[in-house]
């Protein structure tokens, strides 16, 4: 199957090579009791202001390192640098000497006019600029809508992939098709009918992997190889690559693994990871671990060397829809309306170090860096919106709106990112450079 017959890498999307450090809040804790809040450690503190610290006390020598201007290692997402930092740092309790979770450290203000005008959506609002509701698919000044891809999917967009070095964007949908888009013109260049709803889609090197019921399709854009990986039972909801293995989370609660055999040019079954009691809907790899989120409300931690489960995380009370690795942390989102930040203890186990509360259930997390290299977290909620936050402060940058739930988010190069919603609409967004604060 020739999926890239229009050749060349002339596309306007140039790949990024790295990111930068994140923002940190500046605190003055002199008025606080120099004790760490017990409820905050458990992720349950609801006092504001709280008389106790919402961070771990720094080690005795930390002030010296701060005064000489030293900085921690680059803080990346699992799709670029994974769990960064030296192994010793990963064993620091809660890592709060390196971050300030949930404490906004800047003066960014987002206009809180968050309700979309229904008449504007239908094209017949008579108030124009005088309307009290939003006439825009986004709020905030940190990003803008670049374009929307027309003539696309008829049902929910469930996967978006931008292969490295390609000038084509691939989108998969529950309408049982994968569409190929030209990155220069924004036109649909081809449609692949799969005969089954797309549950997820990822890209790794020259490969595109598409999960459909009872099957994983594997396409190689360099050799035009078209492979079918059998084994899954039911829908394939999530996939990830780690330690030369392709992992797939399935509807029947298993995680299947394949290894590519270069001699035979096929993917061979390597393992079946059992432990969840319901469907596995999210996967991520970081720090030599595979993390799996499930409809059984739990996250399991698997050792990539022996593929054994080493810990089960039970902090959520509903489906764990998405998991993401950032710096030395694991972030998880759930339909229970929370994002939990997990960090390793001295024993090496993961514990909740911060809980972010939303008003609606969360569907998808995506990490990226803005044009200044600052880390951003994109959070899709089931109120048809995406919240965009700075990390680690969770200071809000803005929101994106849609007619239906956004089920697919994919970061791209140069501050680009892509969203796909329940109507089949795919939109391309662009981060904008922050305007300098005028001198007073």
């Amino acid at each position: 199957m020739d999926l890239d017959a229009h050749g060349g890498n002339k596309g306007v999307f140039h790949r990024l090579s790295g990111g930068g450090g994140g923002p940190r809040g500046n605190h003055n804790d002199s008025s606080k009791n120099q004790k760490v809040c017990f409820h905050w450690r458990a992720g349950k503190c609801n006092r504001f202001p709280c008389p106790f610290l919402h961070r771990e006390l720094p080690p005795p020598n930390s002030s010296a390192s701060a005064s000489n201007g030293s900085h921690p290692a680059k803080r990346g997402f699992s799709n670029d640098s994974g769990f960064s930092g030296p192994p010793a740092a990963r064993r620091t309790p809660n890592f709060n000497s390196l971050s300030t979770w949930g404490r906004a450290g800047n003066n960014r203000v987002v206009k809180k006019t968050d309700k979309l005008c229904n008449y504007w959506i239908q094209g017949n609002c008579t108030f124009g600029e005088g309307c009290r509701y939003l006439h825009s698919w986004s709020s905030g000044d940190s990003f803008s809508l670049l374009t929307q891809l027309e003539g696309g999917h008829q049902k929910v967009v469930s996967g978006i992939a931008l292969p490295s070095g390609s000038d084509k964007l691939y989108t998969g949908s529950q309408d049982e098709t994968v569409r190929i888009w030209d990155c220069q013109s924004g036109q649909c260049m081809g449609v692949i009918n799969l005969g089954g709803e797309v549950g997820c889609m990822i890209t790794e090197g020259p490969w595109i992997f598409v999960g459909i019921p009872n099957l994983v399709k594997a396409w190689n854009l360099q050799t035009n190889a078209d492979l079918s990986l059998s084994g899954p039972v039911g829908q394939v909801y999530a996939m990830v690559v780690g330690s030369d293995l392709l992992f797939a989370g399935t509807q029947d609660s298993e995680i299947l693994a394949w290894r590519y055999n270069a001699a035979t040019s096929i993917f061979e079954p390597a393992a079946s990871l059992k432990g969840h009691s319901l469907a596995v809907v999210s996967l991520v790899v970081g720090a030599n671990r595979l993390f799996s989120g499930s409809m059984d409300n739990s996250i399991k931690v698997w050792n990539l060397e022996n593929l054994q489960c080493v810990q089960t995380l039970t902090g959520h009370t509903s489906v764990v829809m998405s998991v993401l690795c950032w710096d030395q942390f694991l972030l998880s989102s759930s339909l229970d309306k929370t994002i939990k930040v997990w960090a390793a203890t001295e024993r090496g186990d993961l514990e909740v170090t911060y809980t972010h509360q939303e008003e609606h259930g969360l569907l998808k997390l995506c990490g990226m860096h803005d044009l200044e290299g600052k880390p951003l977290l994109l959070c899709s909620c089931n109120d048809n919106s995406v919240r965009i936050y700075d990390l680690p402060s969770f200071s809000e940058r803005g929101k994106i709106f849609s007619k239906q739930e956004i089920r697919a988010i994919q970061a791209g190069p140069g501050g680009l990112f892509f969203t796909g919603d329940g109507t089949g609409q795919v939109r391309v967004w662009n981060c904008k450079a922050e305007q300098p604060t005028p001198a007073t």
Side-chain angles (χ1 to χ4, degrees), residues 38 66 140 161 206 252 294 306 352 354 427:
F38 172 81
D252 74 338
S294 170
N306 56 24
V352 173
Y354 177 72
R427 290 193 171 102

Side-chain angles (χ1 to χ4, degrees), residues 334-408:
S334 168
L335 294 181
D336 66 9
K337 306 179 183 180
T338 68
I339 299 171
K340 292 189 180 293
V341 181
W342 306 80
T345 65
E346 290 180 334
R347 302 185 308 273
D349 295 332
L350 290 175
E351 291 182 353
V352 173
T353 191
Y354 177 72
T355 297
H356 174 79
Q357 189 76 39
E358 287 285 351
E359 296 180 0
H360 304 275
L362 290 127
L363 304 174
K364 181 73 174 177
L365 298 179
C366 178
M368 63 177 291
H369 293 88
D370 67 10
L371 296 179
E372 297 179 354
K374 297 177 182 178
L376 301 177
L377 181 66
L378 286 64
C379 315
S380 172
C381 300
N382 60 9
D383 66 339
N384 306 343
S385 74
V386 174
R387 270 76 165 173
I388 301 178
Y389 296 107
D390 282 319
L391 288 181
S393 65
F394 273 94
S395 173
E396 186 178 298
R397 285 280 191 103
K399 293 182 180 179
I400 288 173
F401 303 95
S402 186
K403 291 183 179 180
Q404 293 186 21
E405 294 174 349
I406 292 176
R407 293 276 180 168

Side-chain angles (χ1 to χ4, degrees), residues 286-333:
N288 201 33
R289 296 287 189 267
L290 168 69
F291 302 92
S292 57
S294 170
M295 288 186 179
D296 65 13
N297 305 348
S298 76
I299 302 168
K300 288 192 177 291
V301 185
W302 309 83
N303 187 317
L304 283 179
E305 293 180 359
N306 56 24
L307 300 183
Q308 297 299 307
C309 181
V310 295
Q311 189 181 0
T312 299
L313 310 178
T314 57
H316 287 291
T317 59
S318 189
V319 181
V320 182
M321 295 293 291
S322 188
V323 284
L324 175 70
C325 293
W326 177 68
D327 200 21
Q328 303 104 356
F329 302 94
L330 172 71
L331 281 67
S332 60
S333 65

